[in-house]
Amino acid sequence: MNNNYKIIRTIFENVFQRVVECKENETGDIFYSNIITSQKVINLINIPELKSLSSNILEAYNTDDRIYIYTYPLNLKYKGLKEGIAGNLTLKQQFNLSEKIITLAQSIFNMTDVVQQKILDLDRIFVDDNHNLYVDLNLVFEQEYDIADNETFKRLGNILHYIFSGTEIVDYNISDTIPPDVLKIIVRCLTKEYVFPKDVFDELMQSPIYGMIFGSVNTTDINKDTVEKETVADDSFIQSETDSVQEDDSVLNIYLNGDGQQEQTYKDKNVFSKKEIIRLAVSLLIVVIVLLIGNKIIKMFNAEETKGDNPNEQIGNENPEEPNPAETTDPGNETPASDITDSTEIYFNDKLLEGIGYSGSKAEIDNNIYLEGKNSLLVKNEGEETVKSLFAVVDFTDEKFSYMLKQQIGIGAKMKSEKDVEVSVVLEAYKNGTLASNFHTKLDVYDDMWSPLTVPINVTNADYLNIYAEYKGQNKVWIDSIYIDVIK
């Protein structure tokens, strides 16, 4: 960089780094000068690796005792990832952008953990009109450190979640609008089940929904290329595979948001190939089947809701008439599983609690306020201290639930409260009567709506899993629509 510029302001400064905003005198262009003097931080950075990325670097180099990085403001040319994809991506575009994000993660995977964390950040990634990625490499280090754990897969999962849902992951609450194939990949990113980001790419390409959109991919060739380029060109490998499935105008776009117009796949073609005709026929067949099934389900719901003249008989009514005592289910009754009609009874009944020998604080059954079925579970706190009450148990010694062991399971429920409150959902796994492991997540629960809870968890070796609701202060929290099963 030449010296014909003036400093406008200091953006960040500490004992080992200084970042200033500058303006060239001749052109008036704005740029940032980032000078790093700490040897510990210098050792974390590889300049050639940074320069290989699509970024805003104007110039970067090392001297004996410092690093110089000059960058331009990306927001002057491109939009931030959040703004650039807000509500206007087709499913096909979402997959294409996901491939680029995974490619970026793979290309930085040999960098130090702290640099990977700085780069793979929703606020530091920008896109152009064609959704090509650019990274803001005006790196700021608040302290001299390397991080204890690699967060690349966690951050990759969060970005994929944002691409497909428009929201970030908060307290492991995953959106239920994400396609199941992608949802599984996101959960596996969060639980770090992959070795390299290219493993995420492989699973994405082998998913059924990906095959429906882009056609089948030869995974044998993929694995062969991976072996040949393992250490030298992991990023080139993924990019070449990405290019092979770039915009294919013979495939119909599937719009998830807005009123976007479908692409006219026949615009510049006079004749469809046999492969294209088969692909379109299969897609249309799937749509017809889904519409027929959906129509049947809607009719079933309409018939149920209009049954009788009493509006209190409708599904989800929170103020039903007084239930018939003969029909009220007692959790202590040894009722066959086939007679259980409420989701709360599957994982919370006296027989189950007696079987595991539980005698602590537990939820109450409430048949006045509920979301589905005929009752909910109520965790009540009449004081100002913290209450922790059991509301669900999974008994892995029961053959009906033993298949969940050593699997990744998802725990779902809905909650509402008398007053807005933050609730901790605590999971405790027991083996031979002793606590083997525990985990907790927090959820904001409101008085005017049912808040969804979604928790993915791995249970490797346990006899049973206890699930508690914990919160502080006088209040009431209702829990309903409990669902626990293996994530497929």
Side-chain angles (χ1 to χ4, degrees):
M1 298 294 294
N2 61 55
N3 294 320
N4 189 19
Y5 64 86
K6 64 179 179 179
I7 297 176
I8 299 176
R9 63 188 177 98
T10 299
I11 297 175
F12 179 82
E13 185 174 14
N14 55 23
V15 295
F16 49 85
Q17 180 181 23
R18 186 180 187 221
V19 182
V20 295
E21 181 179 347
C22 306
K23 182 178 181 179
E24 288 195 14
N25 292 328
E26 293 183 2
T27 64
D29 292 339
I30 300 295
F31 67 92
Y32 302 122
S33 171
N34 189 342
I35 303 175
I36 300 171
T37 57
S38 166
Q39 192 59 46
K40 289 183 179 180
V41 177
I42 290 173
N43 291 338
L44 298 175
I45 302 173
N46 184 306
I47 291 297
E49 288 180 344
L50 290 184
K51 295 173 74 171
S52 68
L53 302 176
S54 296
S55 70
N56 57 340
I57 286 182
L58 294 169
E59 189 175 346
Y61 56 89
N62 293 72
T63 63
D64 292 338
D65 60 351
R66 60 191 60 195
I67 283 179
Y68 294 86
I69 302 176
Y70 298 98
T71 57
Y72 64 87
L74 271 173
N75 60 344
L76 298 182
K77 295 182 64 175
Y78 309 114
K79 295 180 180 179
L81 181 65
K82 293 181 180 180
E83 180 188 1
I85 66 175
N88 62 353
L89 292 186
T90 66
L91 188 58
K92 181 178 178 182
Q93 290 172 328
Q94 287 174 329
F95 273 96
N96 275 330
L97 184 57
S98 297
E99 293 166 14
K100 294 174 183 177
I101 288 293
I102 298 170
T103 300
L104 172 63
Q106 179 63 34
S107 64
I108 67 174
F109 203 61
N110 289 328
M111 298 183 185
T112 56
D113 291 344
V114 67
V115 174
Q116 290 182 48
Q117 178 178 306
K118 297 291 182 184
I119 292 175
L120 206 61
D121 189 312
L122 266 171
D123 295 325
R124 303 190 72 86
I125 300 175
F126 291 73
V127 295
D128 60 17
D129 292 338
N130 296 319
H131 301 128
N132 296 312
L133 301 184
Y134 300 88
V135 182
D136 183 3
L137 291 183
N138 187 23
L139 305 178
V140 173
F141 298 86
E142 293 81 5
Q143 57 185 3
E144 294 178 307
Y145 68 99
D146 201 352
I147 56 179
D149 193 17
N150 186 293
E151 293 192 2
T152 293
F153 286 111
K154 181 179 179 181
R155 288 171 176 259
L156 177 59
N158 185 51
I159 295 175
L160 294 178
H161 186 277
Y162 194 93
I163 290 173
F164 283 92
S165 71
T167 61
E168 297 187 57
I169 300 173
V170 180
D171 293 333
Y172 288 91
N173 289 319
I174 299 175
S175 172
D176 56 6
T177 63
I178 298 176
D181 298 343
V182 180
L183 178 64
K184 180 175 67 174
I185 292 173
I186 291 173
V187 172
R188 288 182 175 177
C189 284
L190 298 180
T191 54
K192 299 182 180 179
E193 294 188 28
Y194 300 107
V195 179
F196 300 104
K198 66 175 180 288
D199 299 332
V200 184
F201 188 85
D202 290 344
E203 184 163 359
L204 183 73
M205 287 197 300
Q206 294 171 29
S207 65
I209 191 170
Y210 187 98
M212 184 181 72
I213 297 173
F214 295 102
S216 61
V217 179
N218 190 334
T219 57
T220 302
D221 292 342
I222 294 174
N223 294 330
K224 180 179 178 181
D225 288 345
T226 304
V227 172
E228 293 175 352
K229 305 176 183 180
E230 182 70 33
T231 58
V232 179
D234 282 337
D235 53 341
S236 299
F237 148 72
I238 290 184
Q239 185 61 50
S240 66
E241 293 298 333
T242 304
D243 292 342
S244 71
V245 293
Q246 287 299 312
E247 298 293 335
D248 179 2
D249 290 336
S250 67
V251 182
L252 291 175
N253 278 333
I254 303 174
Y255 285 84
L256 296 183
N257 301 301
D259 297 324
Q261 300 294 321
Q262 289 186 331
E263 292 183 358
Q264 296 183 10
T265 60
Y266 52 86
K267 183 175 180 180
D268 297 319
K269 299 178 183 287
N270 294 324
V271 181
F272 283 111
S273 68
K274 181 178 180 181
K275 183 177 180 181
E276 290 170 335
I277 294 173
I278 293 174
R279 187 183 302 167
L280 290 173
V282 171
S283 300
L284 290 174
L285 180 60
I286 292 173
V287 171
V288 171
I289 293 173
V290 170
L291 289 175
L292 290 174
I293 294 174
N295 187 48
K296 185 175 181 180
I297 293 174
I298 290 172
K299 289 181 178 179
M300 290 173 61
F301 273 105
N302 288 338
E304 183 68 22
E305 290 183 356
T306 56
K307 182 180 179 181
D309 296 325
N310 190 344
N312 285 332
E313 293 181 2
Q314 294 182 6
I315 296 174
N317 175 40
E318 295 189 357
N319 294 288
E321 292 180 350
E322 191 68 24
N324 186 339
E327 297 178 355
T328 303
T329 301
D330 180 0
N333 291 341
E334 297 185 7
T335 307
S338 59
D339 293 339
I340 292 178
T341 58
D342 196 294
S343 64
T344 58
E345 298 172 15
I346 299 174
Y347 305 103
F348 188 82
N349 57 71
D350 285 347
K351 181 182 177 182
L352 177 59
L353 300 188
E354 290 172 5
I356 66 171
Y358 183 82
S359 59
S361 176
K362 59 184 180 181
E364 305 172 8
I365 294 176
D366 189 327
N367 48 29
N368 291 319
I369 294 179
Y370 59 92
L371 181 62
E372 57 89 19
K374 55 188 175 182
N375 54 252
S376 66
L377 297 176
L378 170 62
V379 175
K380 183 165 55 177
N381 190 0
E382 297 179 344
E384 296 303 322
E385 300 300 320
T386 299
V387 65
K388 177 184 175 182
S389 295
L390 184 78
F391 71 84
V393 174
V394 183
D395 183 2
F396 299 115
T397 64
D398 188 328
E399 61 180 9
K400 295 193 297 293
F401 304 106
S402 59
Y403 72 94
M404 295 186 188
L405 269 181
K406 298 183 180 180
Q407 300 283 340
Q408 189 169 68
I409 64 176
I411 299 170
K414 297 291 182 65
M415 294 185 180
K416 69 169 297 184
S417 58
E418 188 175 56
K419 296 179 291 187
D420 292 356
V421 64
E422 182 181 71
V423 176
S424 289
V425 177
V426 182
L427 298 94
E428 297 179 351
Y430 288 84
K431 180 68 176 178
N432 298 325
T434 304
L435 180 64
S437 63
N438 62 359
F439 172 79
H440 78 277
T441 185
K442 293 182 179 180
L443 175 69
D444 290 326
V445 181
Y446 305 100
D447 64 351
D448 59 346
M449 62 178 291
W450 289 89
S451 302
L453 166 73
T454 305
V455 183
I457 187 173
N458 290 321
V459 181
T460 56
N461 188 17
D463 294 329
Y464 55 90
L465 176 69
N466 287 358
I467 308 175
Y468 305 82
E470 182 180 57
Y471 66 92
K472 184 176 182 180
Q474 187 174 357
N475 209 335
K476 293 180 180 179
V477 172
W478 289 270
I479 305 165
D480 205 348
S481 300
I482 299 174
Y483 175 83
I484 304 173
D485 204 350
V486 173
I487 297 175
K488 300 178 181 179

